[in-house]
Amino acid sequence: MEKAYRDGKVRAIGVSNFQSGRFFDFAHYVDVKPMVNQLQCNTLIQQTGIEPLMNDFGTKMMAWGPLGGQGVDGIIKSDLLAGIGAKYGKTASQVALRWLTQRGIVAIPKSTHKERMQQNFDIFDFTLSDDDMAQIATLNQHDTGTINFGDPQFVKYLIENYG
Ligand SMILES: NC(=O)c1ccc[n+]([C@@H]2O[C@H](COP(=O)([O-])OP(=O)(O)OC[C@H]3O[C@@H](n4cnc5c(N)ncnc54)[C@H](OP(=O)(O)O)[C@@H]3O)[C@@H](O)[C@H]2O)c1
């Protein structure tokens, strides 16, 4: 990836699911520091622990599952997020995405519905207050995510199934 970057074939290179230890080891030794690290991150999985470490290397966080992923209602049906959104004429999902954006995190929500895609883009005309941000911080349940990417059995599964 460094060669492709130096050759001008790609504009940015990065990694995915590199939790703290692996991220630090990797970022310390590579010449071109990863520009993004894509991690499971949302209002229930806030990834606050790794944030300063990534900042040290100038690596942006990119949030996968920013709305909690498929089949998870904890975010899009959150009363707290809906209550905050009501003040701004926004949905719980929009508040969840705005909260990521205000933390400087790139959010990549996925939807198969055009109107939801439009809704997910429509988050740049309001600002959550410090109090809103503090209330949302209390929702954190599993800071580093629900998957342990350092578990050798899981790494074996990834290698065998994804190469
Ligand atoms: N690097 C990794 O390991 C990794 C892992 C997982 C995912 N990803 C990537 O991350 C991106 C998003 O992840 P994800 O799909 O898991 O999570 P997500 O975007 O948090 O959630 C997608 C789910 O939310 C629903 N949704 C989207 N917008 C909504 C809205 N405004 N209101 C209500 N429901 C809404 C979607 O339903 P509908 O489609 O029915 O609208 C879908 O069921 C994808 O590009 C995916 O490829 C990366």
Side-chain angles (χ1 to χ4, degrees), residues 16-17 38 64-70 76 93 108-113 116 119-120:
S16 181
N17 296 315
Q38 195 178 111
W64 67 259
L67 296 173
Q70 233 149 3
I76 57 178
S93 307
I108 49 164
K110 173 239 129 193
S111 178
T112 52
H113 295 89
R116 285 181 176 169
Q119 188 190 121
N120 295 344

Side-chain angles (χ1 to χ4, degrees), residues 6 13 22 26 37 43 67 70-71 74 101 105 108 122-123 128 157:
R6 288 204 186 90
I13 58 175
R22 177 171 283 197
F26 180 82
N37 183 12
T43 53
L67 296 173
Q70 233 149 3
T101 302
I105 296 170
I108 49 164
D122 185 21
I123 60 163
L128 297 169
Y157 162 83

Side-chain angles (χ1 to χ4, degrees), residues 82-90 128-129 131-132 135:
I84 291 172
K87 295 190 295 181
Y88 306 104
K90 299 289 176 184
L128 297 169
S129 67
D131 183 53
D132 296 332
Q135 284 190 61

Side-chain angles (χ1 to χ4, degrees), residues 18-21 23 37 39-41 45-56 61 103 105 140 142-145:
F18 274 40
Q19 291 168 332
S20 297
F23 174 79
N37 183 12
L39 295 167
Q40 185 184 26
C41 183
I45 298 166
Q46 301 194 359
Q47 299 285 1
T48 56
I50 196 172
E51 210 175 8
L53 184 60
M54 285 173 46
N55 287 342
D56 285 348
M61 195 183 302
R103 282 182 59 196
I105 296 170
N140 200 10
H142 317 268
D143 199 57
T144 56

